[in-house]
Amino acid sequence: MSDIDGVGAADAVRRAVGAVSDPELRRPLAELDMLRDIRVDGAIATVGIALTIVGCPAADRISREVTAAAASVPGIDEVVLNVGVMSPDERRGLTEKLRGGRATREMPFGPDSLTRVIAVTSGKGGVGKSTVTANLAVALAERGLAVGLIDADVHGFSIPALLGLTAPDGGAVQPTRIDELMLPPVAHGVKTISIGMFLRRGDADGPLGAVAWRGPMLHRTVQQFLTDVYFGDLDVLLLDMPPGTGDVAISVGQLLPHADVLVVTTPQTAASDVAVRSGLVARQTGQRVIGVVENMAAMTLPDGTVLDLFGSGGGAAVARVLGDDVPLLASIPLSPDLRRDADAGIPAVLSHPDDPASAAIRSLAASIAAAPRGLSGRSLPMRPL
Ligand code: ADP
């Protein structure tokens, strides 16, 4: 092969390798400035790439795909791969690029952002808020939307387990870090970050215990999730909020006053009062309550009997009290499959799509995806916090 051919072939290899996507950043290597020296000598391609960090968990996959891409170029029989690591300066350039040129620590989900932010809240724990949020996120991703999920339920984080983001030691899968930027693990198309990913199993405050953090630390954590996690361009960002009206609800209200809020409640009227309160507090910060989701509603048994363990009417009652513009968006029945799949870390919307609970969550996703995002109907903050 002549020199000219070598150059032409090297260009072809560069194009092929450059199109390989980084599995965590989900962008082509060329765009991420990860390509280095690429040469072709006869039928041998020598390909240099620079990984973002030492011990990059995606290293094996990237190496495999780069080698395959280079080998797919006509005339290449052998690929020699040189894998290096970016210099601190190169990494800084990359993180800046990923932040879209924004100054470090600037929040990408401000009022001008195209991402719809939806905080999922409930009056009390145990109503199935996290289970619904995880399944809703997956159902939205299944519809082709780019979805991020922040587990802000700092005292009862369960999202990693619900989505099967469990490491071999039983703890949550860790996000990869590029300097200060964190790459959220992806489960079923949903980019997910949780406080449970930052606690080691066995810590006093570890995944099996409660996080005994106080307000300022919680505020910083939520802020860090919003600023230092690389979500890329999202259509929807869901936040699984802690139940009630505590510190995190106030922080999220301050950081994301333009967020939409979904209130989850059971059909039990005793649960509705506290659910109403969480909706009202969200509204005080300027957030808009877009609807109520009733979970654990009556299920129909195989013999046709209707089992309404938690009574009925709670969801409609909460929606009514929250105002004329707040609809009851879904009533999700009790479902052994939803519960079992949640325990197994598999979203039921994928594994049991025809289950009545999955169907209700998928139609909730459809109505959220169809609803226009905008300022109409948004109440202004009633008092500064
Ligand atoms: P929360 O986030 O409100 O504290 P979880 O999502 O952790 O609640 O759910 C509490 C428990 O209820 C879990 O064991 C979950 O599997 C179960 N669960 C949630 N929704 C349903 C449902 N519709 N049918 C049956 N079990 C449910």
Side-chain angles (χ1 to χ4, degrees):
M1 207 181 262
S2 76
D3 246 13
I4 298 295
D5 283 345
V7 172
D11 283 346
V13 171
R14 181 170 283 276
R15 269 196 303 279
V17 169
V20 170
S21 191
D22 180 294
E24 290 184 300
L25 294 167
R26 304 195 153 208
R27 281 167 70 167
L29 301 190
E31 231 179 78
L32 298 170
D33 301 324
M34 286 167 73
L35 304 187
R36 295 294 175 266
D37 187 33
I38 293 178
R39 275 172 289 124
V40 171
D41 195 4
I44 304 173
T46 307
V47 177
I49 55 169
L51 300 176
T52 48
I53 48 161
V54 181
C56 167
D60 282 353
R61 179 159 161 199
I62 295 176
S63 302
R64 248 189 343 266
E65 291 183 8
V66 162
T67 306
S72 73
V73 173
I76 301 298
D77 289 340
E78 193 183 330
V79 179
V80 179
L81 185 64
N82 296 320
V83 181
V85 176
M86 286 185 174
S87 70
D89 272 352
E90 288 171 336
R91 227 173 6 246
R92 207 165 305 124
L94 173 64
T95 54
E96 231 175 83
K97 192 173 196 170
L98 292 173
R99 288 183 195 270
R102 274 189 313 274
T104 318
R105 313 202 78 102
E106 200 179 301
M107 221 262 295
F109 302 110
D112 300 337
S113 129
L114 294 175
T115 303
R116 184 159 179 209
V117 181
I118 303 176
V120 186
T121 183
S122 67
K124 57 172 196 153
V127 302
K129 170 183 52 61
S130 300
T131 310
V132 170
T133 309
N135 276 279
L136 175 62
V138 172
L140 287 166
E142 215 191 355
R143 300 182 69 82
L145 299 182
V147 182
L149 172 51
I150 293 181
D151 183 3
D153 190 350
V154 287
H155 301 290
F157 43 83
S158 51
I159 292 292
L162 284 166
L163 291 176
L165 288 170
T166 312
D169 71 351
V173 168
Q174 301 292 303
T176 302
R177 282 169 189 268
I178 306 177
D179 298 338
E180 285 185 345
L181 201 63
M182 290 179 276
L183 310 185
V186 182
H188 311 291
V190 178
K191 293 180 175 168
T192 308
I193 202 85
S194 166
I195 190 132
M197 295 172 178
F198 299 89
L199 302 169
R200 278 170 305 154
R201 208 173 159 80
D203 281 358
D205 287 341
L208 302 176
V211 177
W213 292 356
R214 320 247 356 160
M217 184 123 175
L218 293 175
H219 186 85
R220 271 200 304 280
T221 303
V222 174
Q223 196 167 29
Q224 202 186 2
F225 282 175
L226 292 170
T227 51
D228 291 344
V229 175
Y230 172 67
F231 283 110
D233 293 330
L234 293 181
D235 295 309
V236 183
L237 175 66
L238 292 178
L239 285 102
D240 184 20
M241 300 291 292
T245 53
D247 290 333
V248 173
I250 292 167
S251 290
V252 169
Q254 287 172 338
L255 293 164
L256 300 165
H258 58 289
D260 289 342
V261 174
L262 264 184
V263 179
V264 181
T265 185
T266 63
Q268 211 172 0
T269 28
S272 12
D273 293 347
V274 282
V276 166
R277 206 170 311 136
S278 63
L280 291 177
V281 166
R283 195 179 272 166
Q284 278 175 3
T285 65
Q287 297 174 333
R288 182 172 63 130
V289 181
I290 53 164
V292 175
V293 174
E294 182 178 68
N295 185 34
M296 305 191 180
M299 74 181 287
T300 307
L301 300 177
D303 68 358
T305 329
V306 174
L307 176 69
D308 55 350
L309 207 58
F310 295 108
S312 63
V318 172
R320 212 168 29 245
V321 180
L322 285 174
D324 289 344
D325 56 337
V326 179
L328 175 62
L329 286 176
S331 184
I332 304 165
L334 281 162
S335 156
D337 278 339
L338 184 68
R339 205 267 308 145
R340 258 193 302 273
D341 290 348
D343 287 347
I346 311 158
V349 287
L350 297 180
S351 51
H352 290 97
D354 299 329
D355 180 275
S358 300
I361 295 171
R362 290 191 7 216
S363 88
L364 172 65
S367 58
I368 286 176
R373 177 181 174 275
L375 293 169
S376 61
R378 175 156 302 166
S379 51
L380 294 169
M382 295 199 291
R383 62 180 167 86
L385 278 166

